[in-house]
């Protein structure tokens, strides 16, 4: 159903303050400059100031409505087109009521009455409402969508930074080694130790007490061509030989890394 279609929503007050300012300014511009329908017949000695005040009322009303919608969004954790339609209608209705109160109490100093409220809605609210609701809908859609994308990019960048360095810890927890992920070449098992080979200015190595399986758990991006080796697939390796007897060769290292028969097909898929 169309009304159950997901609609972008952001809880960011910074984004909604910008939307509120834009909508309030737009309302003031429409009332002062365009004066649609019968608004040009509205007679008041401070008409321009009055209309600018409506823009301010619209901004305050919008931010109050956003506070309420945030409450419901955090409870439901979802926002669909139906929620957006209800927000637009209810925020417009409350805006009309506050606008009427502003007109009668601040400027006209008239007693409040339902009849004057209906006149206000008929001559000011209804003519202007379509000119406000559509831009508000468009602004909320695109601003929210962009805000969500920006937030996701920040999360992705934070995740990238988090995995930029890899820390390998031996059986003795004081025995650890941190290295940029892309510098790690391969890991070799030697008795009860592992040799970690990495590329800085030159090819270097460090020894940690531990098992190859523990290293693989700490660095799951590595792949295991042989029971005694782990390699970083981000580096270029070339397969020499066939499934019966094959090795991995790299210009960056001197050692030829053997490939177990059971791993040959997997390794071939990675480097072919």
């Amino acid at each position: 159903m169309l009304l159950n279609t997901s609609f972008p929503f952001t809880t960011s007050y910074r984004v909604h303050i910008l939307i509120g300012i834009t909508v309030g300014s737009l309302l003031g511009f429409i009332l002062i400059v365009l004066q649609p329908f019968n608004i040009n017949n509205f007679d008041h000695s401070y008409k321009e100031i009055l209309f600018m005040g409506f823009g301010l009322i619209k901004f305050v009303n919008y931010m109050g409505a956003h506070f309420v919608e945030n409450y419901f969004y955090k409870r439901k954790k979802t926002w669909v087109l139906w929620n957006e339609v209800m927000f637009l209608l209810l925020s417009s209705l409350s805006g009309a009521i506050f606008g009427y109160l502003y007109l009668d109490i601040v400027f006209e100093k008239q007693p409040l009455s339902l009849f004057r409220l209906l006149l206000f809605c008929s001559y000011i609210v209804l003519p202007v409402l379509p000119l406000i609701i559509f831009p508000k809908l468009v602004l909320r859609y695109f601003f929210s969508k962009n805000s969500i994308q920006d937030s996701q990019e920040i999360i992705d960048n934070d995740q990238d930074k988090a995995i930029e360095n890899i820390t390998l810890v031996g059986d003795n927890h004081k025995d650890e080694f941190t290295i940029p992920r892309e510098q790690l070449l391969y890991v070799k098992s030697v008795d009860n130790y592992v040799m970690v080979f990495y590329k800085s200015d030159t090819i270097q190595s460090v020894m940690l007490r531990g098992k190859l399986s523990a290293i693989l758990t700490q660095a799951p991006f590595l792949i295991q061509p042989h029971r005694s080796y782990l390699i970083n697939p981000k580096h270029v390796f070339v397969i020499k030989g066939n499934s019966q007897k094959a090795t991995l060769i790299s210009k960056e290292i001197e050692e030829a890394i053997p490939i177990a028969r059971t791993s040959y097909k997997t390794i071939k898929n990675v480097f072919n």
Side-chain angles (χ1 to χ4, degrees):
M1 189 175 178
L2 180 62
L3 290 178
N4 288 327
T5 305
S6 178
F7 193 92
F9 182 87
T10 177
T11 58
S12 170
Y13 275 91
R14 179 182 62 83
V15 171
H16 287 282
I17 287 173
L18 183 58
I19 295 174
I21 291 174
T22 304
V23 172
S25 301
L26 178 62
L27 177 59
F29 174 82
I30 291 172
L31 294 176
I32 295 172
V33 178
L34 301 183
Q35 298 188 19
F37 304 100
N38 295 324
I39 291 179
N40 58 334
N41 295 326
F42 181 75
D43 186 25
H44 197 284
S45 55
Y46 299 103
K47 181 167 67 173
E48 288 76 14
I49 298 177
L50 173 63
F51 287 159
M52 288 175 60
F54 280 123
L56 179 60
I57 290 293
K58 184 62 181 176
F59 168 75
V60 174
N61 175 72
Y62 179 83
M63 294 310 301
H66 174 61
F67 179 82
V68 175
E69 70 173 346
N70 257 1
Y71 170 77
F72 285 102
Y73 174 78
K74 289 176 180 178
R75 290 188 61 186
K76 297 180 63 177
K77 300 297 182 183
T78 184
W79 196 259
V80 296
L81 187 56
W82 169 251
N83 301 126
E84 186 67 17
V85 170
M86 291 301 298
F87 169 82
L88 292 173
L89 292 176
L90 293 177
S91 63
S92 298
L93 177 61
S94 62
I97 294 172
F98 286 122
Y100 164 69
L101 295 175
Y102 164 73
L103 174 66
D104 267 14
I105 295 175
V106 176
F107 277 88
E108 297 292 342
K109 301 187 185 302
Q110 296 284 340
L112 302 178
S113 71
L114 180 60
F115 178 71
R116 285 181 59 81
L117 173 61
L118 294 176
L119 286 178
F120 174 77
C121 290
S122 299
Y123 287 100
I124 295 182
V125 176
L126 289 181
V128 175
L129 196 60
L131 301 176
I132 294 297
I133 282 187
F134 180 72
K136 188 195 297 186
L137 177 64
V138 173
L139 287 170
R140 282 172 59 85
Y141 178 83
F142 285 105
F143 278 43
S144 296
K145 188 174 182 179
N146 289 336
S147 177
I148 293 169
Q149 290 174 347
D150 291 343
S151 298
Q152 186 59 47
E153 288 178 3
I154 291 173
I155 292 172
D156 291 341
N157 289 336
D158 288 344
Q159 289 176 341
D160 289 340
K161 290 178 182 178
I163 63 174
E164 185 178 358
N165 287 341
I166 182 73
T167 298
L168 303 177
V169 183
D171 289 345
N172 179 356
H173 290 290
K174 294 182 179 179
D175 189 15
E176 65 177 44
F177 177 62
T178 300
I179 182 176
R181 174 172 168 169
E182 66 274 9
Q183 290 186 12
L184 179 58
L185 292 171
Y186 70 104
V187 184
K188 180 180 180 179
S189 176
V190 182
D191 296 327
N192 294 323
Y193 294 85
V194 292
M195 294 286 295
V196 180
F197 293 84
Y198 63 98
K199 183 178 180 181
S200 184
D201 294 330
T202 60
I203 304 301
Q204 302 179 46
S205 65
V206 64
M207 180 175 284
L208 303 173
R209 184 177 180 85
K211 296 180 179 180
L212 213 62
S213 57
I215 299 298
L216 186 58
T217 300
Q218 297 170 44
F221 60 90
L222 299 176
I223 59 176
Q224 188 167 15
H226 187 273
R227 57 188 173 84
S228 298
Y229 290 86
L230 298 172
I231 63 169
N232 186 350
K234 292 296 182 181
H235 294 274
V236 177
F237 288 89
V238 177
I239 299 175
K240 295 292 185 180
N242 54 39
S243 59
Q244 299 303 311
K245 186 176 182 181
T247 57
L248 284 169
I249 306 296
S250 173
K251 293 181 180 180
E252 298 179 302
I253 63 177
E254 296 181 358
E255 186 173 7
I257 297 175
I259 302 175
R261 293 181 183 179
T262 54
S263 303
Y264 180 81
K265 186 176 292 186
T266 301
I267 299 300
K268 189 175 182 180
N269 289 335
V270 173
F271 294 107
N272 264 2

